[in-house]
Amino acid sequence: MTDTHTTPLHAPVKLDDTDRHILNRLQEGFPICSRPFARLAPDLSLSESDLIARVQYLRQSGVLTRFGPLFQIEALGGAYCLVAMSVPEKRWDSVVKTVNRHPEVAHNYRRAHALNMWFVLATASAQDLEACLTTIETETGLPVFAFPKEQEYALSLKLEL
Amino acid sequence: MEHLNPAYTALIHASQQGLAIEPQPYLRLAQALGVSEAYVIKQFQTMLDQGLIRRIAAIPNHYALGYVANGMCVWNIADERLDTVGTWLGSQAGVSHCYRRPRRLPAWPYNLFAMLHGKDHDTVRAQAKNISMHITQHFPGVLHDHDILFSTAILKKTGLRLRRP
């Protein structure tokens, strides 16, 4: 379940206009009803089965990283935190493995900076977040910089395709 | 609230990896949970109405769509004007995940974070430069420093995976 390897940046995937319409529509929100694809399909001039096949392809080819409910984890009592570390090059692979092994690490990026590893922790409670930060610090022996969100000015980006 | 509401945890665990892409995805979820489809639909609608789910939607992979320049742009803004600048920045096109976060001195002087996405690094740099120029013009004296941290590898991208209690 947990990625422990370093994935290269994804190569662009060819999309046609129908795929773009589907992606634009699906970023806005998916109906909550018994046959949601059947409800959406006419707007996209597709049959229910064609729409499902297209969305399956978009998911399998990696164009969609996720398709489902986006939980507002803080409103549910959980916690999110952006975290940065400065990882020495010669220890890079082992620290990536150590950090990514934690299911709380939702995503992790290498960035061009002295603080070269940036990841997001998602936990069921604030206490779990503190515990996870301490564990990562202990396991790696490296300082961990936590950047909790203090104020949100924007959240979602809708890519126009 | 200190912990996840237990009424929602089963539903979250069953759906955090995504919905089945088939004619009745909520029925599939209901079967996994041993409840009715109508119950799952009602529960999701309630969570959406209460803001516990932001939305049910597809998240595209920026990289697969050619948005390969993923820049975390950061500014050091005078504290007393940060909310004004942040509110303005958060409303700009192409800006996502715009947040106030703490400085970590001396290593990290920045307190305003925003993600900018473009098809190449120069586009993102130009966009960040325009933002900085605008801040300098419209909020004189508040901008102290700025940087862009481009991603060079995705090390993990699974999204939310809460441990079972």
Side-chain angles (χ1 to χ4, degrees), chain B residues 65-130:
Chain B
L65 296 169
Y67 287 81
V68 296
N70 160 244
M72 187 174 84
C73 298
V74 291
W75 291 267
N76 175 5
I77 304 286
D79 285 335
E80 63 276 13
R81 298 305 302 280
L82 184 53
D83 278 340
T84 311
V85 176
T87 304
W88 169 79
L89 180 55
S91 69
Q92 299 303 296
V95 172
S96 74
H97 299 86
C98 183
Y99 298 125
R100 173 183 194 146
R101 299 187 188 277
R103 296 186 183 91
R104 299 292 180 197
L105 297 170
W108 188 260
Y110 308 105
N111 56 355
L112 180 61
F113 291 57
M115 294 304 306
L116 302 184
H117 306 273
K119 298 205 170 180
D120 56 67
H121 285 187
D122 283 345
T123 308
V124 172
R125 280 194 196 96
Q127 196 185 353
K129 193 177 167 192
N130 279 340

Side-chain angles (χ1 to χ4, degrees), chain A residues 34, chain B residues 22 24-33 35-37 40-41:
Chain A
S34 182
Chain B
E22 57 185 38
Q24 292 184 271
Y26 303 110
L27 176 62
R28 172 60 65 98
L29 198 51
Q31 286 166 344
L33 288 165
V35 297
S36 70
E37 184 189 33
V40 168
I41 288 173

Side-chain angles (χ1 to χ4, degrees), chain A residues 21-143:
Chain A
H21 288 144
I22 293 170
L23 284 170
N24 283 334
R25 182 61 190 80
L26 285 184
Q27 287 181 78
E28 288 167 17
F30 187 64
I32 304 177
C33 62
S34 182
R35 299 280 293 273
F37 290 102
R39 181 176 291 182
L40 268 187
D43 292 354
L44 297 155
S45 307
L46 290 170
S47 69
E48 179 190 29
S49 58
D50 285 346
L51 175 58
I52 289 172
R54 291 255 187 179
V55 176
Q56 282 171 344
Y57 167 75
L58 292 170
R59 182 73 185 82
Q60 280 156 13
S61 63
V63 171
L64 295 180
T65 50
R66 252 189 73 71
F67 175 68
L70 306 178
F71 295 103
Q72 222 306 20
I73 199 65
E74 285 116 333
L76 286 157
Y80 264 125
C81 190
L82 178 68
V83 182
M85 294 174 75
S86 183
V87 180
E89 284 305 322
K90 58 174 188 265
R91 292 192 51 203
W92 180 259
D93 289 345
S94 99
V95 174
V96 170
K97 278 194 189 124
T98 303
V99 170
N100 283 359
R101 194 181 297 134
H102 294 273
E104 292 87 350
V105 176
H107 24 88
N108 189 356
Y109 288 88
R110 181 172 180 137
R111 295 192 180 278
H113 190 270
L115 290 172
N116 52 3
M117 183 183 286
W118 289 80
F119 53 94
V120 170
L121 291 179
T123 60
S125 74
Q127 294 96 309
D128 290 355
L129 185 71
E130 285 305 314
C132 191
L133 286 169
T134 306
T135 304
I136 290 173
E137 213 159 42
T138 307
E139 286 175 354
T140 61
L142 296 170

